[in-house]
Amino acid sequence: MNTPPVEIFALGDDYVRLWNEFTIFPTREEVSQKIKIYKPRTLANMYCQGRGPDGRMTVGGKVCYPRDQVVIWFAAQVDKAA
């Protein structure tokens, strides 16, 4: 599926672009590279505190997330900071 879901379109063009930059299941390292304010260890800590992206899974020994959830989570973080 190469078209972002409606929830992503509703967030705006910047979030649609971010969604398109991610692989389908980005790892913590990929999230850190694209959203430069979060290091992989910070994402791990946020998960332990219940504040990370939803849908966390382990594939091949790497933690990853559904890209939809990463973008929705990041949009919520931006809203909290505003």
Side-chain angles (χ1 to χ4, degrees), residues 3-19:
T3 304
V6 173
E7 296 88 2
I8 304 301
F9 276 115
L11 295 172
D13 292 340
D14 291 333
Y15 294 104
V16 171
R17 274 191 292 281
L18 181 62
W19 185 89

Side-chain angles (χ1 to χ4, degrees), residues 2-75:
N2 292 329
T3 304
V6 173
E7 296 88 2
I8 304 301
F9 276 115
L11 295 172
D13 292 340
D14 291 333
Y15 294 104
V16 171
R17 274 191 292 281
L18 181 62
W19 185 89
N20 282 315
E21 288 180 16
F22 281 121
T23 58
I24 294 173
F25 294 104
T27 63
R28 284 182 178 150
E29 290 76 18
E30 183 181 351
V31 173
S32 178
Q33 289 172 349
K34 305 276 192 245
I35 304 173
K36 300 193 184 300
I37 58 175
Y38 297 107
K39 294 181 181 178
R41 188 73 199 146
T42 303
L43 291 167
N45 289 336
M46 292 178 92
Y47 167 74
C48 290
Q49 298 166 357
R51 300 183 309 127
D54 290 335
R56 176 190 173 276
M57 63 187 89
T58 304
V59 178
K62 296 231 176 217
V63 172
C64 56
Y65 309 93
R67 69 178 162 185
D68 303 350
Q69 294 303 315
V70 172
V71 175
I72 290 167
W73 167 81
F74 180 60

